[in-house]
Amino acid sequence: MSGYFGAGTRAPESELEIIMSDMPSCQFESRPRRIVIGSGGVQADFCTNCSVRPTSVCSVIEPSDISRLAEVAVETIVSPGRGFIEEGAPATDFFNVTSGTVKLFKALPDGRRQITGFAAPGHFLGLAVSDNYAFGAEAIDTVRVCRFSREKMSELLDDFPKLERRLLEEASNELVAAQNQMLLLGRKTARERVASFLLDQMQAGLLPGQPPPSGGRLHLPMTRGDIADYLGLTIETVSRTLSWMRAQGMIEVGKGYAITIVSTAKLEVLAAGNS
Amino acid sequence: MSGYFGAGTRAPESELEIIMSDMPSCQFESRPRRIVIGSGGVQADFCTNCSVRPTSVCSVIEPSDISRLAEVAVETIVSPGRGFIEEGAPATDFFNVTSGTVKLFKALPDGRRQITGFAAPGHFLGLAVSDNYAFGAEAIDTVRVCRFSREKMSELLDDFPKLERRLLEEASNELVAAQNQMLLLGRKTARERVASFLLDQMQAGLLPGQPPPSGGRLHLPMTRGDIADYLGLTIETVSRTLSWMRAQGMIEVGKGYAITIVSTAKLEVLAAGNS
DNA sequence: CGGGTAGTTGATGGTCATCAAGGGGGGTGG
DNA sequence: CCACCCCCCTTGATGACCATCAACTACCCG
């Protein structure tokens, strides 16, 4: 319970904590400054009213047992650019994303970085057998997560076998995604990678949770740099490829983080591996 | 039970089946010709004497319940170059590798292939939520696998909660490996990739199961082509890189599939990301 | 208005893929 | 037994794709 979450003092019964952004850029070496606001008894409806419960691992807990869940969950707000899991640090907690988008990554000593995935609301984080986190996690926009201590989670697993099966399902899904990403990183060209990425993002938007399905219009929360680190490319190549796709009439690139997919068909041809 | 395993007739009580290599090269489109040799009642010691049980998921089943395991397991021999899981085919079975090495892969329509992992004895295959396999699997050398039908496996999971936890552990380990591989594929140079691969292979050799730990001497069962498809490179680049490492005094390249690691330290410097 | 971040576009170069040729080993059949 | 073939591997020559370096714009915030 000490360890990564640093030197802040926390009333054990608190139910909301905030990891503030106190530096302009994300220097991961610095510990996040945690500020606790609000404290008091645990609310019984804390989980009942959770917007992502239907789509998250928590859905397997019966309503009658929800209080058990609420007892061990600590809601945490992480501001944009803030890291809340440090690669290699002792793995003390599990997390469940309830809003916002998280990037998961691994890094080499010289700073090269690979984003291994983006975690949207409903996503469960921290599956690792080792005592240390195998990856880092950082908030892209403002993120809310439910935090569970490892011990408490272990107790929950003992009491709710369904939870374990659900986690296995979650892990299996991630494995499939990881295999797809390996194919992308190992064998696809830059154009194919970007096309695959855009289609995946559209797919993710159509799923439950997340903003409503809008006709080909994407609002990507991540920067070009994040996309590059996810696709194993550079910022420039991502930018150039998007420009090329726009010139081909496949997409429209709006201001900020908006991209509109004009021709899903053309992108699919690309993503499947034709130039 | 029909489906991928083709048109062979099998006595339901048989306990050993063989997937023969009946073609010089591995044409995956052809169904493996399955020949059943030996039949009769299930042996109680079938699993008790299994060499990989201590290191596989089966280890969580108590000796008193071992017969339950033996009832649903079908031992299968797959000859070199034979595929026994086809990407996209209905996922009817799970597998547990008991000897030999398996390559797991995904492919693009034009034939580009990415090997997502090698499965050594003790490895559990087939974790997928979907009704179809997300990857293909092919024997590198002569492989023995224990095959479990999906339904029977599901029953086992209901009866042995420990099994589920063990599978979750297995999946988590694979996820960590997949994340490492994404970092490798997305951000490492050819030299770094090959160095990482050699070190990983040495590590795998030191683990329980597998041949005994020998001083830096590796016997890689896979071809250069497999290594290339695993590392996202070409055969030529793998070959050139190995030659370069030999010239640097890092390794010795023996005949066949033997490689001796001379300087682990130099390889580690490389793998961590220095040129 | 100045500084910082994010993005786009251009010029150039390096890393690795591609094309090509040749050697060595294991299998089969004459 | 040797010729032949096929596969695997190695090494060389060339070129493409994408990274790197660099300049410029837009935007946000003080």
Side-chain angles (χ1 to χ4, degrees), chain A residues 223-224 235-236 239-240 243 246 253 257:
Chain A
T223 67
R224 298 284 188 271
I235 293 179
E236 294 94 326
S239 182
R240 263 187 263 271
S243 297
R246 186 186 44 190
V253 181
Y257 296 83

Side-chain angles (χ1 to χ4, degrees), chain B residues 6 21 28 30 34 39 45 51 61 78 80 90 94 97 102 109 125 133 159 168 171-172 180 218 224 231 260 263:
Chain B
S21 176
F28 209 97
S30 71
R34 204 199 56 230
S39 69
D45 59 358
S51 61
I61 308 285
V78 189
F94 295 101
V97 181
V102 174
L125 296 181
Y133 292 117
D159 296 347
L168 182 56
S172 299
N180 283 326
L218 295 178
R224 297 284 187 270
L231 299 179
T260 304
S263 170

Side-chain angles (χ1 to χ4, degrees), chain A residues 160-174:
Chain A
F160 303 106
K162 279 186 181 175
L163 190 54
E164 203 145 45
R165 186 163 298 196
R166 186 62 169 75
L167 283 181
L168 182 57
E169 194 181 319
E170 184 91 357
S172 299
N173 282 330
E174 282 197 58

